[in-house]
Amino acid sequence: PLCATQAAAAGGSQADRELEHLRALACIDEVTGLCNRRHLMAQAEAAWHLARAQGPALCLLAFEVPQVAHLAGTLGQAAANTLTSALAARLVADSPAQSVLGHLGDGEFAALLPQHGGPDRAAALQLAARWQALLQEPVALADLTVYPQCAIGLAFEPGDKGSGDAVDAHALLVAAQSARREAEGTGTP
């Protein structure tokens, strides 16, 4: 579930290995080790084009834990980074093999789930509910226990019948973020 660029080149010169290392660093979020926004969106764009051309569907999940931004404002960025890292580790441990996870900033994450053979909406909703429960488990930070809240939104390509398909991967992310905002009041993905 981590970035594909994290695999280091085994051979080549020292300069080649260093260049590959720099390329990998450009794609990885330094706090979580997940894909950064730019790399996740490049992966999503490639998957979106594949879904359009060859038919396998995909699902994009957008989720947010607002306590990360709150911690940054009250206890500082180090505390927020500790919480973010703990949440990312939970996601990595529970992610399907084909998923691509990304940290978009502050407490915002996204996951790209290729859906080979067609969208399995029920499975995606089950995963979202499982992740929501996982991310809402308490996190111990030094002398403080944080009780995170999480909202998750899902968007599919191709879209639901009658709702229109996303015009690109960015529109798919916007649709997932919109679904997340709608879900914030309900407590369910």
Side-chain angles (χ1 to χ4, degrees):
L2 298 178
C3 295
T5 59
Q6 288 178 321
S13 69
Q14 178 67 22
D16 289 341
R17 287 191 298 277
E18 288 175 4
L19 182 59
E20 184 59 32
H21 179 69
L22 288 174
R23 284 187 184 130
L25 289 176
C27 298
I28 298 169
D29 175 70
E30 65 183 84
V31 173
T32 63
L34 302 178
C35 293
N36 62 24
R37 177 185 288 272
R38 179 180 36 227
H39 188 66
L40 178 75
M41 291 311 298
Q43 297 285 324
E45 193 68 30
W48 182 85
H49 283 291
L50 182 64
R52 290 296 217 160
Q54 298 179 6
L58 62 106
C59 175
L60 187 71
L61 286 78
F63 33 108
E64 184 171 26
V65 179
Q67 285 77 8
V68 172
H70 178 73
L71 275 180
T74 57
L75 298 177
Q77 196 59 49
N81 288 351
T82 301
L83 176 59
T84 302
S85 294
L87 297 173
R90 290 177 181 181
L91 290 171
V92 168
D94 193 53
S95 294
Q98 299 295 336
S99 63
V100 179
L101 296 171
H103 179 223
L104 305 181
D106 288 333
E108 191 176 5
F109 298 86
L112 180 63
L113 305 175
Q115 306 278 312
H116 301 293
D120 188 347
R121 295 170 194 276
L125 283 169
Q126 272 186 331
L127 177 65
R130 191 171 74 227
W131 278 354
Q132 184 174 38
L134 188 67
L135 293 173
Q136 292 185 153
E137 291 178 3
V139 178
L141 301 176
D143 298 339
L144 175 70
T145 299
V146 177
Y147 296 89
Q149 295 299 306
C150 176
I152 301 179
L154 295 85
F156 293 90
E157 176 61 38
D160 296 319
K161 188 174 183 176
S163 67
D165 295 336
V167 295
D168 61 13
H170 178 73
L172 193 63
L173 176 62
V174 169
Q177 290 170 325
S178 177
R180 182 197 72 223
R181 284 188 291 280
E182 289 176 18
E184 284 175 354
T186 68
T188 59

